[in-house]
Amino acid sequence: MDISVRKEDLTKYACDLLVLGAFLKEKESSLEFAQVNEALEGKLATFMKEDKFKAKEGSTFLMRTHGKIAAKRILVVGLGEKESCTLESVRQATATSLGIAKGLGLKSIASVLHATGIEGLTAADCAQAMVEGSELAMYSFDVYKKPKKISPVRFDLISVPAAQLRQIQKGIQIGELMARGTLLARDLVNTPAQDMYPGKLVEHARAIAKGKGTIRVKVYDTQALVRMGAGGILGVARGSDHPPFLVHMVYKPKKATKKRVALVGKAVTFDSGGLSLKPADYMTTMKVDMAGAAAVLGVFDVIDELAPECEVHGIFGAVENMPSGKAMRPGDVLIAMNKKSIEVLNTDAEGRLTLADTLNFAVKQKPQAIIDLATLTGACMVALGEEITGLMSNNDDLAGQVSSAAETAGEKVWRLPLEKNYKKLVKSHVADLQNVGSRWGGALTAGLFLEEFVEKTPWVHLDIAGPAYAERDIDPYTKKGATGHGVRTLLAYLKTF
Ligand code: BES
Ligand code: ZN
Ligand code: ZN
């Protein structure tokens, strides 16, 4: 979709659909609405009244213009009450509008800039949110089937004040990066595990770095992992015919800087559970288990264009978790890269085994902050449901920064405690640690297990087991399938540098 900003007259701009926003309980309609309504001889307001249109979030009113204005149709989309209108309302309203356009098979859409003038929302922010909402809504994964509907090809933001043109252009540009990174992550996760095995993730990392002077990639194969003592990654990989890899990507900004952040992703390309085999129903979507790494790759795909002034390391240990005669067994003891021994009581708690090594590898890069993303526990979904990420951290400042980045990005996170008293639950009587806790508080014991490998480095753990994959349509821009959750939070966080 080609997105641009134009200083055009609302009534004279030829397109298939013109979109106007409306607030609930507003006495005065917007100037734009008044202008279009007048050109339509007052019929827009009359018909909306007849249909009892209320500008609630998500509600829409569509009508033909019969040649009275250059646009063929007009769509009024509700933004809810002005006081509670946020960038997320703008994303949702834009996604709704584009969804309707796509449903009707329309090619060219124009829209006013929603929500400008609301306190705290700049024109650039609003434009960015509109681009995010539209691009994310138009996504579909069609590699393995014929697409059902063709998406619109043009989306223009029109009737904007000339003074804001450049700002809006900047907002569009950032929105496009946010969307592109997210959509790449969606594609990687949606691809079946038969075609997205550890070696493929390596190929993607290399392809992303190619031609970008700011990014380099180093890949460690089995032999190298043995040398490094990466017993966690190697232990999980044992049951699979696919060899494991540790991938280390580094982005260095053009201007030298001492700031350094590490992004770590869980990269289990398929999680069968291993010998502690999952029940069939729980296994169907387990290609999702590399969504953490997919988010990191999504970030790296756009990072040189976002150009944060901070060195960024992207790290993941790519493995497949399968049962076989060679697979690790319940009761086996693995030695992680930091020499801590781990008793594997359940081979399905494999993510923390791979993260033990990757987090420790991240620590060795001496970053000031580590953020990991992992589809780590079903327990986190029991706690927070399918739409909210569990955030755990050993550092309140970093936790606050990541939470507020998530808030701006429109991704939901909620902090869970790393309760010291629960530490005893991951202590083993035969090894330093065991890889499962008790029946209760599974998201927390997983977090506490990971904390054993980050030493004193400020660290945020994001358990994205719920939001990484939508089992059903969630909202107008989050449809069934991979969501690319985490990419926008990470980019919003990096943008603060
Ligand atoms: N990959 C799963 C967690 C998961 C569940 C992700 C649902 C996405 C959706 C993880 O490896 C796992 O199996 N965790 C176990 C841990 C348990 C054995 C302690 C779980 O949550 O049941
Ligand atoms: Zn598992
Ligand atoms: Zn897993």
Side-chain angles (χ1 to χ4, degrees), residues 262-266 292 296 313 315-316 355 358-359 362 370-373:
L263 308 178
V264 172
K266 174 173 172 181
V296 173
H313 292 243
I315 301 160
F316 58 86
L355 287 166
T358 35
L359 285 171
I370 299 178
I371 304 173
D372 84 67
L373 299 95

Side-chain angles (χ1 to χ4, degrees), residues 266 268 271 278 286 289 321 348-351 375-376:
K266 174 173 172 181
V268 176
D271 182 11
K278 284 184 184 294
M286 278 305 139
D289 222 17
N321 188 23
D348 196 12
E350 82 300 336
T375 45
L376 203 62

Side-chain angles (χ1 to χ4, degrees), residues 350-430:
E350 82 300 336
R352 64 198 76 179
L353 301 174
T354 67
L355 287 166
D357 290 335
T358 35
L359 285 171
N360 189 244
F361 183 89
V363 169
K364 289 182 174 136
Q365 313 308 313
K366 300 197 177 7
Q368 289 100 36
I370 299 178
I371 304 173
D372 84 67
L373 299 95
T375 45
L376 203 62
T377 66
C380 195
M381 301 175 71
V382 174
L384 298 174
E386 293 173 298
E387 298 180 35
I388 304 175
T389 283
L391 182 154
M392 284 148 263
S393 181
N394 60 1
N395 184 291
D396 291 344
D397 289 340
L398 186 63
Q401 288 158 14
V402 175
S403 298
S404 71
E407 168 93 38
T408 359
E411 296 185 315
K412 299 180 188 93
V413 306
W414 193 257
R415 190 165 179 186
L416 301 173
L418 289 171
E419 171 54 49
K420 290 215 165 32
N421 270 356
Y422 294 170
K423 274 262 179 212
K424 56 182 182 282
L425 299 173
V426 291
K427 299 277 189 254
S428 156
H429 73 292
V430 298

